[in-house]
Coordinates of all heavy atoms in Angstrom, one line a residue:
M14 N -69.2 -28.3 29.0 CA -70.2 -27.6 28.3 C -69.7 -26.7 27.3 O -68.8 -25.9 27.6 CB -71.2 -26.8 29.3 CG -72.3 -26.1 28.6 SD -73.3 -25.2 29.8 CE -74.4 -26.5 30.3
P15 N -70.1 -26.7 26.1 CA -69.5 -25.9 25.0 C -69.9 -24.4 25.2 O -70.9 -24.1 25.8 CB -70.1 -26.4 23.7 CG -71.3 -27.2 24.2 CD -71.1 -27.6 25.5
C16 N -69.1 -23.5 24.8 CA -69.4 -22.1 24.8 C -70.4 -21.7 23.8 O -70.3 -22.0 22.7 CB -68.1 -21.3 24.6 SG -68.3 -19.5 24.6
R17 N -71.4 -21.0 24.3 CA -72.5 -20.6 23.4 C -72.1 -19.1 22.9 O -71.7 -18.3 23.7 CB -73.8 -20.5 24.1 CG -74.3 -21.9 24.5 CD -75.6 -21.9 25.1 NE -76.5 -20.9 24.5 CZ -77.8 -20.6 24.8 NH1 -78.2 -21.4 25.8 NH2 -78.5 -19.8 24.3
V18 N -72.3 -18.9 21.7 CA -72.1 -17.6 21.1 C -73.4 -16.9 20.8 O -74.2 -17.4 20.2 CB -71.2 -17.7 19.8 CG1 -71.0 -16.4 19.1 CG2 -69.9 -18.4 20.1
C19 N -73.4 -15.6 21.3 CA -74.6 -14.8 21.0 C -74.5 -14.3 19.7 O -73.7 -13.5 19.4 CB -74.8 -13.7 22.1 SG -76.2 -12.7 21.8
T20 N -75.4 -14.7 18.8 CA -75.4 -14.2 17.4 C -76.3 -13.0 17.2 O -76.2 -12.3 16.2 CB -75.8 -15.3 16.4 OG1 -77.1 -15.8 16.8 CG2 -74.7 -16.4 16.5
D21 N -77.2 -12.8 18.1 CA -78.2 -11.6 18.0 C -77.6 -10.5 18.8 O -77.2 -10.6 19.9 CB -79.5 -12.0 18.6 CG -80.2 -13.1 17.7 OD1 -80.0 -13.2 16.5 OD2 -81.0 -13.8 18.3
F22 N -77.5 -9.3 18.1 CA -76.9 -8.1 18.7 C -77.9 -7.6 19.8 O -79.1 -7.4 19.5 CB -76.7 -7.0 17.7 CG -76.0 -5.8 18.3 CD1 -74.7 -5.8 18.5 CD2 -76.8 -4.7 18.6 CE1 -74.1 -4.7 19.0 CE2 -76.2 -3.5 19.1 CZ -74.8 -3.6 19.3
I23 N -77.4 -7.4 21.0 CA -78.3 -6.9 22.1 C -78.3 -5.3 21.9 O -77.2 -4.7 21.8 CB -77.7 -7.2 23.5 CG1 -77.6 -8.7 23.6 CG2 -78.5 -6.6 24.5 CD1 -76.8 -9.2 24.8
P24 N -79.5 -4.7 21.7 CA -79.6 -3.3 21.5 C -78.9 -2.5 22.6 O -78.9 -2.8 23.7 CB -81.0 -3.0 21.4 CG -81.7 -4.4 21.2 CD -80.8 -5.4 21.8
T25 N -78.3 -1.4 22.1 CA -77.6 -0.5 23.1 C -78.5 -0.1 24.3 O -78.0 -0.1 25.4 CB -77.0 0.7 22.3 OG1 -76.2 0.3 21.2 CG2 -76.2 1.6 23.3
D26 N -79.7 0.3 24.0 CA -80.6 0.8 25.1 C -80.8 -0.3 26.1 O -80.9 0.0 27.3 CB -81.8 1.4 24.5 CG -82.7 0.4 23.7 OD1 -82.1 -0.6 23.1 OD2 -83.9 0.5 23.7
K27 N -80.9 -1.6 25.7 CA -81.0 -2.7 26.6 C -79.8 -2.9 27.5 O -79.9 -3.1 28.7 CB -81.4 -4.0 26.0 CG -82.8 -4.0 25.4 CD -83.2 -5.4 24.9 CE -84.6 -5.4 24.5 NZ -85.1 -6.7 24.2
K28 N -78.6 -2.8 26.8 CA -77.3 -2.8 27.6 C -77.3 -1.8 28.7 O -76.9 -2.0 29.8 CB -76.1 -2.8 26.7 CG -76.0 -3.9 25.7 CD -74.8 -3.7 24.8 CE -74.8 -4.7 23.7 NZ -73.7 -4.4 22.8
V29 N -77.6 -0.6 28.2 CA -77.5 0.6 29.2 C -78.5 0.5 30.3 O -78.1 0.7 31.5 CB -77.8 1.9 28.4 CG1 -78.0 3.1 29.3 CG2 -76.7 2.2 27.4
A30 N -79.7 0.0 30.0 CA -80.7 -0.2 31.1 C -80.2 -1.2 32.1 O -80.4 -1.0 33.3 CB -82.0 -0.5 30.5
Y31 N -79.7 -2.3 31.6 CA -79.2 -3.4 32.5 C -78.1 -2.9 33.3 O -78.1 -3.1 34.6 CB -78.8 -4.6 31.6 CG -78.2 -5.8 32.4 CD1 -79.1 -6.6 33.1 CD2 -76.9 -6.0 32.3 CE1 -78.6 -7.6 33.8 CE2 -76.4 -7.2 33.1 CZ -77.3 -7.9 33.8 OH -76.8 -9.0 34.5
I32 N -77.1 -2.3 32.8 CA -75.9 -1.8 33.5 C -76.3 -0.7 34.5 O -75.8 -0.7 35.7 CB -74.8 -1.3 32.5 CG1 -74.3 -2.5 31.7 CG2 -73.6 -0.7 33.4 CD1 -73.4 -2.1 30.6
N33 N -77.3 0.1 34.2 CA -77.7 1.2 35.1 C -78.4 0.5 36.3 O -78.3 1.0 37.4 CB -78.7 2.2 34.4 CG -77.9 3.2 33.6 OD1 -76.7 3.6 34.0 ND2 -78.5 3.7 32.6
Q34 N -79.1 -0.6 36.1 CA -79.7 -1.3 37.2 C -78.6 -1.9 38.1 O -78.8 -1.8 39.3 CB -80.6 -2.4 36.7 CG -81.9 -1.9 36.1 CD -82.7 -1.1 37.1 OE1 -82.9 -1.5 38.2 NE2 -83.3 0.0 36.6
L35 N -77.6 -2.4 37.5 CA -76.5 -2.9 38.3 C -75.8 -1.8 39.1 O -75.4 -2.0 40.3 CB -75.4 -3.6 37.5 CG -75.9 -4.8 36.7 CD1 -74.7 -5.4 35.8 CD2 -76.4 -5.9 37.6
L36 N -75.7 -0.6 38.5 CA -75.1 0.5 39.3 C -76.0 0.9 40.4 O -75.5 1.3 41.5 CB -74.9 1.7 38.3 CG -73.8 1.6 37.3 CD1 -73.9 2.6 36.2 CD2 -72.4 1.6 38.0
K37 N -77.3 0.9 40.2 CA -78.2 1.3 41.3 C -78.2 0.4 42.5 O -78.5 0.9 43.6 CB -79.7 1.3 40.7 CG -80.0 2.5 39.9 CD -81.4 2.5 39.5 CE -81.8 3.8 38.6 NZ -83.2 3.7 38.2
V38 N -78.0 -0.9 42.3 CA -77.9 -1.8 43.4 C -76.5 -1.8 44.1 O -76.4 -2.4 45.1 CB -78.4 -3.2 43.1 CG1 -79.9 -3.1 42.7 CG2 -77.5 -3.9 42.1
G39 N -75.5 -1.2 43.5 CA -74.2 -1.1 44.1 C -73.2 -2.1 43.9 O -72.4 -2.4 44.7
F40 N -73.2 -2.7 42.7 CA -72.2 -3.7 42.4 C -70.8 -3.0 42.5 O -70.6 -1.8 42.2 CB -72.3 -4.2 40.9 CG -73.2 -5.4 40.8 CD1 -74.6 -5.3 41.1 CD2 -72.7 -6.6 40.4 CE1 -75.4 -6.4 41.0 CE2 -73.4 -7.7 40.3 CZ -74.8 -7.7 40.6
D41 N -69.8 -3.8 43.0 CA -68.5 -3.3 43.2 C -67.8 -3.0 41.9 O -67.0 -2.1 41.8 CB -67.7 -4.2 44.1 CG -68.2 -4.2 45.5 OD1 -68.7 -3.2 46.0 OD2 -68.0 -5.3 46.2
T42 N -67.9 -4.0 41.0 CA -67.2 -3.9 39.7 C -68.1 -4.3 38.6 O -68.7 -5.4 38.8 CB -65.9 -4.8 39.7 OG1 -65.1 -4.4 40.9 CG2 -65.1 -4.6 38.5
I43 N -68.1 -3.6 37.5 CA -68.9 -4.0 36.4 C -68.0 -4.0 35.2 O -67.5 -2.9 34.7 CB -70.1 -3.0 36.2 CG1 -71.0 -3.0 37.4 CG2 -70.9 -3.4 34.9 CD1 -72.0 -1.9 37.4
D44 N -67.9 -5.1 34.6 CA -67.1 -5.2 33.3 C -68.1 -5.1 32.2 O -68.9 -6.0 32.0 CB -66.4 -6.6 33.3 CG -65.4 -6.7 32.1 OD1 -65.4 -5.9 31.2 OD2 -64.7 -7.7 32.1
F45 N -68.1 -4.0 31.5 CA -69.3 -3.7 30.6 C -69.0 -3.6 29.1 O -69.9 -3.5 28.3 CB -70.0 -2.4 31.1 CG -69.2 -1.2 30.6 CD1 -69.4 -0.5 29.5 CD2 -68.1 -0.7 31.4 CE1 -68.7 0.6 29.1 CE2 -67.4 0.4 31.1 CZ -67.7 1.0 29.9
G46 N -67.8 -3.7 28.7 CA -67.5 -3.6 27.3 C -66.0 -3.8 26.9 O -65.2 -4.1 27.8
S47 N -65.8 -3.5 25.7 CA -64.4 -3.8 25.1 C -64.3 -2.9 23.9 O -65.1 -2.9 23.0 CB -64.3 -5.2 24.8 OG -62.9 -5.5 24.4
F48 N -63.1 -2.2 23.8 CA -62.7 -1.5 22.6 C -61.9 -2.4 21.7 O -60.7 -2.5 21.9 CB -62.0 -0.2 23.0 CG -62.8 0.8 23.6 CD1 -62.7 1.0 25.0 CD2 -63.7 1.6 22.9 CE1 -63.5 1.9 25.7 CE2 -64.5 2.5 23.5 CZ -64.4 2.7 24.9
V49 N -62.6 -3.1 20.9 CA -62.0 -4.1 20.0 C -62.6 -3.9 18.6 O -63.6 -3.2 18.4 CB -62.2 -5.6 20.4 CG1 -61.5 -5.9 21.7 CG2 -63.7 -5.9 20.5
S50 N -62.0 -4.5 17.6 CA -62.6 -4.4 16.3 C -64.0 -4.9 16.2 O -64.3 -6.0 16.7 CB -61.7 -5.1 15.3 OG -62.4 -5.3 14.1
P51 N -64.9 -4.2 15.7 CA -66.3 -4.6 15.6 C -66.4 -5.9 14.7 O -67.4 -6.6 14.8 CB -67.1 -3.4 14.9 CG -66.2 -2.3 15.0 CD -64.8 -2.8 15.2
K52 N -65.5 -6.1 13.8 CA -65.4 -7.3 13.0 C -65.1 -8.5 13.9 O -65.7 -9.6 13.6 CB -64.4 -7.1 11.9 CG -64.8 -6.1 10.8 CD -63.8 -6.0 9.7 CE -64.1 -5.0 8.7 NZ -63.1 -4.8 7.7
A53 N -64.3 -8.3 14.9 CA -63.9 -9.4 15.7 C -65.0 -9.7 16.7 O -65.3 -10.9 16.9 CB -62.6 -9.1 16.5
I54 N -65.6 -8.7 17.3 CA -66.6 -8.9 18.3 C -67.7 -7.9 18.1 O -67.7 -6.8 18.7 CB -66.0 -8.8 19.8 CG1 -64.8 -9.8 20.0 CG2 -67.2 -9.1 20.8 CD1 -64.2 -9.7 21.3
P55 N -68.6 -8.1 17.2 CA -69.7 -7.2 16.9 C -70.5 -6.7 18.1 O -71.0 -5.6 18.1 CB -70.6 -7.9 15.9 CG -69.8 -9.1 15.4 CD -68.7 -9.4 16.5
Q56 N -70.7 -7.6 19.1 CA -71.5 -7.3 20.3 C -70.9 -6.1 21.1 O -71.6 -5.4 21.8 CB -71.6 -8.5 21.2 CG -72.6 -8.4 22.2 CD -74.0 -8.4 21.7 OE1 -74.7 -7.3 21.8 NE2 -74.5 -9.5 21.2
M57 N -69.6 -5.8 20.9 CA -69.0 -4.8 21.6 C -68.8 -3.5 20.8 O -68.2 -2.5 21.2 CB -67.6 -5.2 22.2 CG -67.7 -6.4 23.1 SD -68.5 -5.8 24.6 CE -69.0 -7.4 25.3
A58 N -69.3 -3.4 19.7 CA -69.2 -2.3 18.7 C -69.8 -1.0 19.3 O -69.3 0.1 18.9 CB -69.8 -2.6 17.4
D59 N -70.6 -1.1 20.3 CA -71.3 0.1 20.8 C -70.8 0.5 22.2 O -71.4 1.2 23.0 CB -72.8 -0.1 20.9 CG -73.3 -1.3 21.8 OD1 -72.4 -2.1 22.1 OD2 -74.5 -1.4 22.0
T60 N -69.6 0.0 22.6 CA -69.1 0.3 23.9 C -69.0 1.7 24.3 O -69.4 2.2 25.4 CB -67.7 -0.4 24.1 OG1 -67.9 -1.8 24.1 CG2 -67.1 -0.1 25.5
A61 N -68.6 2.5 23.4 CA -68.5 4.0 23.6 C -69.9 4.6 23.9 O -70.1 5.4 24.7 CB -67.8 4.7 22.5
E62 N -70.8 4.1 23.1 CA -72.2 4.6 23.2 C -72.8 4.2 24.6 O -73.5 5.0 25.2 CB -73.1 4.1 22.1 CG -72.8 4.6 20.7 CD -73.6 3.9 19.7 OE1 -74.9 4.1 19.8 OE2 -73.1 3.2 18.9
V63 N -72.5 3.0 25.0 CA -73.0 2.5 26.3 C -72.4 3.3 27.4 O -73.1 3.8 28.3 CB -72.6 1.0 26.5 CG1 -73.0 0.6 27.9 CG2 -73.4 0.1 25.5
L64 N -71.1 3.5 27.4 CA -70.4 4.3 28.4 C -71.0 5.7 28.5 O -71.2 6.3 29.6 CB -68.9 4.4 28.1 CG -68.1 5.2 29.1 CD1 -68.2 4.7 30.5 CD2 -66.6 5.2 28.6
A65 N -71.3 6.3 27.3 CA -71.8 7.7 27.3 C -73.2 7.8 27.9 O -73.6 8.9 28.4 CB -71.8 8.2 25.8
Q66 N -73.9 6.7 27.9 CA -75.3 6.8 28.3 C -75.5 6.2 29.8 O -76.6 6.3 30.3 CB -76.2 5.9 27.4 CG -76.3 6.5 26.0 CD -77.2 5.7 25.1 OE1 -78.3 5.3 25.5 NE2 -76.7 5.4 24.0
L67 N -74.4 5.8 30.4 CA -74.6 5.3 31.8 C -74.9 6.4 32.8 O -74.4 7.5 32.7 CB -73.3 4.6 32.2 CG -73.0 3.3 31.5 CD1 -71.7 2.6 32.0 CD2 -74.2 2.3 31.6
D68 N -75.8 6.1 33.7 CA -76.2 7.1 34.7 C -75.4 6.9 36.0 O -75.8 6.3 37.0 CB -77.7 6.9 35.0 CG -78.3 7.9 36.0 OD1 -77.6 8.9 36.3 OD2 -79.4 7.7 36.4
L69 N -74.2 7.5 35.9 CA -73.3 7.3 37.1 C -73.7 8.2 38.3 O -73.3 7.9 39.4 CB -71.9 7.7 36.6 CG -71.3 6.8 35.5 CD1 -70.0 7.3 35.0 CD2 -71.3 5.4 35.8
K70 N -74.5 9.2 38.0 CA -74.9 10.1 39.1 C -75.8 9.4 40.1 O -75.9 9.7 41.3 CB -75.5 11.3 38.6 CG -74.6 12.2 37.9 CD -75.3 13.5 37.3 CE -74.3 14.4 36.6 NZ -74.9 15.5 36.0
N71 N -76.6 8.4 39.6 CA -77.5 7.7 40.5 C -77.0 6.3 40.9 O -77.8 5.5 41.4 CB -78.9 7.5 39.8 CG -79.6 8.9 39.7 OD1 -79.6 9.7 40.6 ND2 -80.1 9.2 38.5
A72 N -75.7 6.1 40.8 CA -75.1 4.8 41.2 C -75.2 4.8 42.7 O -74.9 5.8 43.4 CB -73.7 4.7 40.7
K73 N -75.5 3.6 43.3 CA -75.5 3.5 44.8 C -74.2 3.7 45.3 O -74.0 4.4 46.3 CB -76.0 2.1 45.1 CG -76.2 1.9 46.6 CD -76.8 0.6 46.9 CE -77.0 0.5 48.4 NZ -77.7 -0.8 48.8
S74 N -73.1 3.2 44.7 CA -71.8 3.4 45.2 C -71.1 4.4 44.2 O -71.0 4.2 43.1 CB -71.0 2.0 45.2 OG -69.6 2.3 45.4
K75 N -70.6 5.4 44.8 CA -69.9 6.5 43.9 C -68.6 6.0 43.5 O -67.9 6.6 42.7 CB -69.8 7.8 44.7 CG -71.1 8.4 45.1 CD -72.0 8.7 43.9 CE -73.3 9.3 44.3 NZ -74.3 9.3 43.2
Y76 N -68.1 4.8 44.0 CA -66.8 4.3 43.7 C -66.9 3.0 42.9 O -65.9 2.3 42.8 CB -66.0 4.1 44.9 CG -65.9 5.4 45.7 CD1 -66.6 5.7 46.8 CD2 -65.0 6.4 45.2 CE1 -66.5 6.9 47.5 CE2 -64.9 7.6 45.9 CZ -65.7 7.9 47.0 OH -65.6 9.1 47.7
S77 N -68.0 2.7 42.3 CA -68.1 1.4 41.5 C -67.3 1.5 40.3 O -67.5 2.3 39.4 CB -69.6 1.2 41.0 OG -70.4 0.9 42.2
P78 N -66.2 0.7 40.3 CA -65.4 0.8 39.1 C -66.0 0.1 37.8 O -66.7 -0.9 38.0 CB -64.1 0.0 39.5 CG -64.4 -0.6 40.8 CD -65.7 -0.2 41.3
L79 N -65.9 0.8 36.7 CA -66.3 0.3 35.5 C -65.1 -0.3 34.7 O -64.1 0.5 34.6 CB -67.0 1.3 34.6 CG -68.3 1.9 35.2 CD1 -68.8 3.1 34.4 CD2 -69.4 0.9 35.3
L80 N -65.1 -1.5 34.3 CA -64.0 -2.1 33.6 C -64.3 -2.2 32.2 O -65.4 -2.6 31.8 CB -63.7 -3.5 34.2 CG -63.2 -3.5 35.6 CD1 -63.0 -5.0 36.1 CD2 -62.0 -2.7 35.9
V81 N -63.3 -1.9 31.3 CA -63.5 -2.1 29.9 C -62.2 -2.6 29.4 O -61.1 -2.2 29.8 CB -64.0 -0.7 29.2 CG1 -62.9 0.3 29.3 CG2 -64.3 -1.0 27.8
M82 N -62.2 -3.5 28.5 CA -61.0 -4.0 27.8 C -60.7 -3.2 26.6 O -61.5 -2.8 25.9 CB -61.2 -5.5 27.4 CG -59.9 -6.0 26.8 SD -60.2 -7.7 26.2 CE -60.4 -8.6 27.7
C83 N -59.4 -2.8 26.5 CA -59.0 -2.0 25.4 C -57.9 -2.7 24.6 O -56.7 -2.8 25.1 CB -58.5 -0.6 25.9 SG -57.9 0.4 24.5
V84 N -58.2 -3.3 23.6 CA -57.2 -4.1 22.7 C -56.6 -3.2 21.7 O -55.5 -3.3 21.4 CB -57.9 -5.3 22.1 CG1 -56.9 -6.0 21.2 CG2 -58.5 -6.2 23.1
V85 N -57.4 -2.2 21.2 CA -56.9 -1.3 20.3 C -56.9 0.1 20.8 O -57.9 0.7 21.0 CB -57.8 -1.4 19.0 CG1 -57.3 -0.4 17.9 CG2 -58.0 -2.8 18.5
L86 N -55.7 0.6 21.2 CA -55.6 1.9 21.9 C -56.2 3.0 21.0 O -56.8 3.9 21.6 CB -54.2 2.1 22.2 CG -53.9 3.5 22.9 CD1 -54.6 3.5 24.3 CD2 -52.3 3.7 23.1
K87 N -56.0 2.9 19.7 CA -56.5 4.0 18.9 C -58.1 4.2 19.0 O -58.6 5.3 19.0 CB -56.2 3.7 17.4 CG -56.6 4.7 16.4 CD -56.2 4.4 15.0 CE -56.6 5.4 14.0 NZ -56.3 5.1 12.7
M88 N -58.8 3.1 19.3 CA -60.2 3.2 19.5 C -60.6 3.9 20.7 O -61.5 4.7 20.8 CB -60.8 1.8 19.5 CG -60.7 1.0 18.1 SD -61.4 -0.6 18.2 CE -63.1 -0.2 18.0
L89 N -59.8 3.7 21.8 CA -60.0 4.4 23.0 C -59.8 5.8 22.9 O -60.5 6.7 23.4 CB -59.2 3.8 24.2 CG -59.3 4.4 25.5 CD1 -60.7 4.3 26.1 CD2 -58.3 3.8 26.5
L90 N -58.7 6.1 22.2 CA -58.3 7.6 22.0 C -59.3 8.3 21.2 O -59.7 9.5 21.4 CB -56.9 7.7 21.4 CG -55.8 7.1 22.3 CD1 -54.5 7.2 21.5 CD2 -55.7 7.9 23.6
N91 N -59.8 7.6 20.2 CA -60.9 8.2 19.4 C -62.2 8.5 20.2 O -62.9 9.4 20.0 CB -61.3 7.3 18.1 CG -60.1 7.4 17.1 OD1 -59.3 8.3 17.1 ND2 -60.1 6.4 16.3
M92 N -62.5 7.6 21.1 CA -63.7 7.7 22.0 C -63.6 9.0 22.8 O -64.5 9.7 23.1 CB -63.9 6.5 22.8 CG -65.2 6.5 23.4 SD -65.4 6.5 25.2 CE -64.0 6.8 26.0
R93 N -62.4 9.3 23.2 CA -62.1 10.5 24.2 C -62.3 11.8 23.5 O -62.4 12.8 24.1 CB -60.7 10.4 24.7 CG -60.6 9.2 25.7 CD -59.2 9.1 26.3 NE -58.9 10.4 27.0 CZ -57.7 10.7 27.3 NH1 -56.7 10.0 27.0 NH2 -57.5 11.8 28.0
Q94 N -62.3 11.9 22.1 CA -62.4 13.1 21.4 C -63.9 13.5 21.2 O -64.8 12.8 21.2 CB -61.8 13.0 20.0 CG -60.3 12.8 20.2 CD -59.6 12.6 18.8 OE1 -60.2 12.5 17.8 NE2 -58.3 12.4 18.9

């Protein structure tokens, strides 16, 4: 089966709501984003915004790891400031 590419950007608020629901039910690991060039993967351009809006206080598991891919270290360092 060929890989389907999502051409419509999923709004940040929808991503946040979906991931928050996963956190509430206690998923062990959630791979939620990537710090890559927005030109390469536009869908991941809002990873820092998504992370900032996650409701970690109401997660069922206080130890649910959030995974994010960081291809460009500079992008991750900029997000920390």
Side-chain angles (χ1 to χ4, degrees):
M14 177 179 277
C16 178
R17 291 182 41 178
V18 176
C19 180
T20 56
D21 295 330
F22 185 80
I23 300 169
T25 303
D26 61 331
K27 285 190 177 189
K28 293 177 190 178
V29 171
Y31 178 73
I32 296 167
N33 279 332
Q34 288 299 316
L35 296 177
L36 288 167
K37 281 184 181 180
V38 298
F40 270 68
D41 292 329
T42 305
I43 301 172
D44 188 350
F45 74 94
S47 183
F48 291 103
V49 296
S50 168
K52 291 180 182 177
I54 307 176
Q56 194 65 254
M57 297 294 158
D59 62 348
T60 294
E62 292 175 65
V63 170
L64 178 59
Q66 294 180 48
L67 292 179
D68 183 11
L69 301 176
K70 291 179 183 178
N71 290 318
K73 184 173 183 180
S74 170
K75 298 299 179 194
Y76 303 104
S77 291
L79 297 171
L80 298 178
V81 64
M82 181 184 291
C83 181
V84 177
V85 182
L86 182 58
K87 184 177 179 181
M88 294 179 81
L89 178 62
L90 295 175
N91 287 341
M92 193 241 13
R93 292 181 57 196
Q94 295 177 357

